[in-house]
Amino acid sequence: MTKRMTETEIRIRIVPTHLRWPSADTNSVWRRLHECVHKMHDLARAVDVNCSCIEEKRTLGPNEIERRRTEVVQEARTKLANFGPLDVARRAVAAELNSMQSRSDLTLQDAQTKEKLTKVLKELEAGVAATERLLLERCELRDARRLQYY
């Protein structure tokens, strides 16, 4: 049986920098960015629970457990490949950046916000990859190429 993920591990491994971002209450853009992180956390928790349920079934042999865990991870990887919350966050940031760009009176604070939003998007994209790595480790599927054979 593999080791369960802890809440701390999920928060540390998947976009831990979001704790330093402006509050989700700041505006709708920041709310969408925070929601994206929370959805990644939720996906990791769901995979952890699903794998635990599979592993606890005493009637399954090791090969069947591995096959089912692989299916769970493959489904999660498919969701991550087309991660809707990331698309929503990208659109929100793009709209905010376009709005700032169209203004002629950009302040230093606007320039800093622009830079921060661009950086945060990169952190979210790295978070998707971190989520995938965490799920592969959780289910003891170190070699992602193995997934294509099931």
Side-chain angles (χ1 to χ4, degrees), residues 50-122:
N50 289 340
C51 286
S52 291
C53 290
I54 291 166
E55 293 159 352
E56 290 170 1
K57 290 187 179 180
R58 303 254 185 240
T59 58
L60 299 178
N63 290 340
E64 182 64 13
I65 289 172
E66 182 178 357
R67 186 186 69 74
R68 289 186 184 190
R69 283 192 318 220
T70 301
E71 289 173 357
V72 168
V73 170
Q74 186 60 48
E75 183 180 327
R77 290 180 79 211
T78 300
K79 287 179 184 176
L80 285 171
N82 303 302
F83 200 55
L86 180 59
D87 293 336
V88 169
R90 282 180 178 142
R91 285 193 303 271
V93 168
E96 183 70 12
L97 293 177
N98 286 338
S99 171
M100 289 177 156
Q101 200 72 9
S102 66
R103 293 190 354 232
S104 60
D105 61 337
L106 282 182
T107 65
L108 176 60
Q109 184 178 2
D110 291 336
Q112 290 171 338
T113 299
K114 202 171 158 181
E115 185 178 318
K116 186 167 199 128
L117 288 172
T118 303
K119 181 181 176 190
V120 164
L121 269 182
K122 290 178 183 173

